[in-house]
Amino acid sequence: MLVLGISAFYHDSAAALIRDGEILAAAQEERFTRKKHDPDFPANAIRYCLSEAKASAAAVDRIVFYEKPFLKFERLVETYLAFAPNGFASFRKAMPLWIGEKLFQRDLLIRALKEIDPALGDKAKLRFSEHHFSHAASAYFPSPFRDAAVLTMDGVGEWATTSAAVGEGESLKITKEIHFPHSLGLLYSAFTYYTGFKVNSGEYKVMGLAPYGEPRFVKEIFEHLVDVKADGSFRLNQDYFGYSTGLTMTNSRFDDLFGGPARSAADPLDQRHMDLAASVQAATEEIVLRLTRALAAEAGASRNLCLAGGVALNCVANGKILRDGRFDNIFVQPAAGDAGGALGAALAVYFDEKPAGAQKSVKKPDAMQGAYLGPSYEQADIEARLTAAGAVFSVVDDDHLIEKTAAALAAEQAVGWHQGRMEFGPRALGNRSILGDPRSPTMQKALNLKVKYRESFRPFAPSVLRQDVSDWFELDVDSPYMLLVAPVKSERCRKMSDAEEALFGIDKLNIQRSDIPAVTHVDYSARVQTVHEETNPRYHALISRFKALTGCPVLINTSFNVRGEPIVNTPEDAFRCFMGSEIEFLAVGNCILIKDQQNPALKLDYKNAFELD
């Protein structure tokens, strides 16, 4: 049974294709259109999935959309009626769009599918899955567990914002939900907006900024904004928020509570903003821990936990769930946000219809194949594409590729690394990555300001050989998707002096805190990716060679893009980003490119090429 899953029309549109429960391909539309968080119908991603699977459109048995538009329309109308006459302006703006387009999404989808291939336009094949069920399915069915508790948390789907489910074998059932407007994701997004970052993309920045601050506003959050029960269930006080009735996340009462208006993106960050970030992060962690502890305490509860939804990308909270010890094993869907809903929708319908022989995968480490589910390029194709782009390159064998790249990294060069199949989800995991030497005390700042063109406080993740992770970090489990934060081992750390501790916020960034300062955050933590030979032998070989040269089995790994740009997809994307930034060394397949050997006329200015995220 061949099932195509689709997510679209909000943000991070994507497509995924499964055959008999096995994941064949998945990709976000933004990687093809080069439009960050592209919400449009994922025509390019669908074409890619069919091509990767060598499947005709006629062979597709089911096409599944990741949510139910009528339920979402119901929420819009009921929310307006609940708050009327407040919010009429936003209701008036939204209603024509919903009536003209989204309410009749079935017809819109059929038309868009027919444009790809008329065989995809069969209405009898089209199904709809509820938003949070899609999230839950995306986490449970690819997990390595035969049973699990499943927790999904995000902004909002149709009505649900948080859901708990139980997975047993091929069965998945949602057992309870929290509904809009009470949303942990929207609480976090309110602080994202208030601290001057863009909602639905800037939440990572708030999480990265939090360790620079003190959580001194937690009391205000719990006394005024959110009422949390012992089991983690919660309600948000709508007197302080604008998202239900207006066009902003927060309102003047929120401003009064926290000492002023929302920060403009152009305004400098000060200690108050860092303290606000620390406070909402601490509050989020407390709520999430109450939720997971309550799930673990239920009669007959599984010792396995699966997580999905945008809040599951909060890797700091995930690390605390792991260390809390209520669950023995945790699996987080690497494409936990809306993109992963496409995959979950396909899996949900497959296991709902249960064709003969349908069995849930229990593969180790999981069925996501390292999240390497996107396009790859044959060596001859890479050479032709780079030649057409005007690139100057040499072609080397596998051994020389690893040797020369490891030597460039040991020489503290910024390396672009484009190999194999592109990752599905928001993280580059060693196939579309910018790499660096984590031992360098200046590399974090240099990569942020000169390569990524983004805020200097943004942390980088370490990629570490799985067999060496416990020697460098307080972690000894698989973390292939960079979704767990753990402390750096104390013996690898250097204690800051009293004078260094007294430094203001981001001034602490330049203090060398460990043997791997470029990936050690100011609180001595790191967002760890374990690298496994089974899922990525070439990246594993590179880190192994770097270890042989330096004694360090760790590399800086950040996504191959500049701020505001989607992660690179094609060899041409990689070359343009290479020429538009200060990356010094580029490896695409078995092609090696050195910056000072390139035609200077091809240099680009990527610093201002993309809308800031």
Side-chain angles (χ1 to χ4, degrees):
M1 184 177 182
L2 195 64
V3 185
L4 175 67
I6 298 169
S7 63
F9 308 131
Y10 184 47
H11 59 87
D12 294 304
S13 294
L17 191 66
I18 67 169
R19 178 183 285 125
D20 299 330
E22 180 186 358
I23 305 166
L24 303 179
Q28 291 122 285
E29 185 70 2
E30 66 165 21
R31 308 291 169 83
F32 303 92
T33 62
R34 314 308 300 151
K35 179 182 176 185
K36 188 85 165 176
H37 304 300
D38 193 342
D40 291 338
F41 183 78
N44 295 288
I46 292 171
R47 290 188 182 98
Y48 154 68
C49 287
L50 293 171
S51 172
E52 180 67 36
K54 298 180 174 56
S56 69
V60 176
D61 297 295
R62 297 287 183 271
I63 301 165
V64 192
F65 193 66
Y66 81 128
E67 62 184 11
K68 296 190 173 182
F70 274 103
L71 284 179
K72 211 162 190 178
F73 180 74
E74 175 189 275
R75 169 172 56 85
L76 183 73
V77 173
E78 288 196 22
T79 299
Y80 170 66
L81 292 174
F83 288 95
N86 294 331
F88 178 71
S90 60
F91 180 79
R92 184 177 57 190
K93 288 184 178 182
M95 195 51 57
L97 175 66
W98 272 93
I99 291 175
E101 179 179 307
K102 294 193 177 185
L103 185 56
F104 301 103
Q105 216 153 68
R106 179 185 293 271
D107 294 338
L108 176 66
L109 288 167
I110 292 296
R111 286 197 303 272
L113 288 162
K114 281 182 177 176
E115 287 179 12
I116 296 172
D117 191 301
L120 291 176
D122 183 351
K123 288 185 179 181
K125 294 181 178 181
L126 187 60
R127 303 286 187 275
F128 294 84
S129 173
E130 285 198 33
H131 184 106
H132 269 255
F133 196 84
S134 296
H135 277 320
S138 78
Y140 174 64
F141 288 118
S143 78
F145 312 136
R146 285 298 298 172
D147 59 78
V150 186
L151 178 63
T152 67
M153 304 166 286
D154 65 4
V156 61
E158 296 91 357
W159 276 106
T161 66
T162 303
S163 74
V166 173
E168 293 179 344
E170 289 69 49
S171 170
L172 178 65
K173 291 185 172 63
I174 289 181
T175 57
K176 48 192 169 185
E177 295 179 334
I178 296 172
H179 285 180
F180 182 88
H182 309 293
S183 165
L184 187 54
L186 292 177
L187 173 68
Y188 208 91
S189 291
F191 280 85
T192 301
Y193 165 82
Y194 188 69
T195 50
F197 301 118
K198 191 177 287 188
V199 171
N200 290 328
S201 66
E203 284 77 9
Y204 298 124
K205 300 182 189 181
V206 175
M207 185 173 64
L209 190 64
Y212 294 96
E214 296 294 331
R216 62 186 178 93
F217 295 109
V218 170
K219 183 168 180 272
E220 285 82 355
I221 291 173
F222 284 129
E223 285 189 355
H224 297 277
L225 300 188
V226 55
D227 176 26
V228 189
K229 304 303 182 188
D231 65 355
S233 59
F234 58 86
R235 293 180 64 83
L236 299 191
N237 183 351
Q238 293 301 299
D239 290 343
Y240 291 88
F241 299 95
Y243 57 79
S244 291
T245 59
L247 301 174
T248 60
M249 292 298 299
T250 61
N251 59 26
S252 59
R253 289 194 66 174
F254 194 102
D255 295 351
D256 293 341
L257 182 62
F258 294 110
R263 170 181 165 262
S264 158
D267 293 341
L269 287 161
D270 61 27
Q271 190 62 51
R272 184 174 71 96
H273 301 119
M274 298 171 202
D275 293 346
L276 286 162
S279 300
V280 72
Q281 178 64 34
T284 298
E285 291 166 12
E286 174 63 24
I287 295 168
V288 169
L289 284 172
R290 290 193 193 185
L291 287 165
T292 54
R293 287 168 181 169
L295 290 180
E298 290 181 358
S302 171
R303 298 293 295 175
N304 305 313
L305 176 67
C306 297
L307 298 170
V311 177
L313 293 171
N314 192 308
C315 48
V316 179
N318 295 344
K320 293 198 173 181
I321 295 170
L322 178 67
R323 290 190 293 280
D324 193 49
R326 297 313 204 271
F327 290 94
D328 295 335
N329 306 292
I330 298 174
F331 173 76
V332 186
Q333 165 55 240
D338 278 8
L343 174 60
L347 289 165
V349 163
Y350 175 75
F351 283 102
D352 179 62
E353 299 196 6
K354 289 188 180 65
Q359 269 197 315
K360 181 200 178 301
S361 169
V362 288
K363 290 179 182 176
K364 301 290 185 181
D366 56 65
M368 288 297 296
Q369 302 165 47
Y372 307 117
L373 297 168
S376 63
Y377 300 86
E378 297 294 331
Q379 181 62 27
D381 189 24
I382 290 170
E383 293 174 28
R385 287 167 177 263
L386 291 177
T387 299
V392 176
F393 58 91
S394 58
V395 180
V396 297
D397 62 23
D398 289 356
D399 289 343
H400 282 89
L401 174 75
I402 297 300
E403 186 65 39
K404 289 178 180 293
T405 307
L409 288 163
E412 297 190 15
Q413 293 186 26
V415 170
W417 182 250
H418 182 290
Q419 305 292 331
R421 294 184 73 177
M422 180 179 68
E423 299 89 340
F424 181 50
R427 306 290 191 212
L429 300 168
N431 279 4
R432 299 292 187 274
S433 293
I434 297 171
L435 308 176
D437 184 347
R439 302 169 304 151
S440 168
T442 60
M443 187 60 76
Q444 180 188 15
K445 190 171 183 179
L447 283 179
N448 268 327
L449 298 180
K450 294 183 178 181
V451 175
K452 300 284 283 188
Y453 303 124
R454 67 185 195 181
E455 302 93 340
S456 63
F457 69 83
R458 301 274 292 274
F460 290 115
S463 289
V464 58
L465 298 177
R466 172 63 181 93
Q467 59 266 35
D468 291 319
V469 66
S470 62
D471 292 336
W472 290 79
F473 305 97
E474 297 291 347
L475 186 72
D476 197 13
V477 298
D478 294 347
S479 180
Y481 303 122
M482 212 182 282
L483 285 168
L484 293 173
V485 163
V488 177
K489 278 276 191 178
S490 58
E491 55 265 36
R492 305 283 183 184
C493 293
R494 170 191 169 271
K495 184 172 172 56
M496 286 194 284
S497 68
D498 290 343
E500 290 167 343
E501 287 279 11
L503 290 172
F504 168 77
I506 292 172
D507 289 338
K508 293 180 180 178
L509 179 69
N510 300 319
I511 302 303
Q512 186 164 345
R513 294 173 296 282
S514 78
D515 296 341
I516 43 174
V519 294
T520 303
H521 213 358
V522 293
D523 59 356
Y524 292 92
S525 71
R527 176 165 44 95
V528 179
Q529 180 200 5
T530 54
V531 178
H532 305 249
E533 188 173 12
E534 299 80 5
T535 51
N536 200 330
R538 181 166 281 196
Y539 192 37
H540 190 276
L542 176 63
I543 303 176
S544 297
R545 184 58 191 149
F546 182 78
K547 178 186 177 182
L549 291 175
T550 66
C552 179
V554 182
L555 288 178
I556 297 169
N557 177 11
T558 187
S559 55
F560 196 160
N561 62 328
V562 301
R563 182 184 180 192
E565 179 194 20
I567 295 172
V568 300
N569 175 7
T570 67
E572 297 95 324
D573 294 338
F575 179 65
R576 283 191 292 269
C577 189
F578 172 62
M579 294 303 292
S581 67
E582 296 187 40
I583 297 173
E584 298 153 284
F585 181 105
L586 174 61
V588 184
N590 285 71
C591 297
I592 287 177
L593 296 81
I594 309 299
K595 178 61 70 64
D596 60 15
Q597 295 176 2
Q598 305 305 312
N599 179 353
L602 296 178
K603 183 170 174 59
L604 300 168
D605 177 15
Y606 261 36
K607 187 171 186 178
N608 301 302
F610 298 92
E611 181 184 355
L612 298 183
D613 60 4

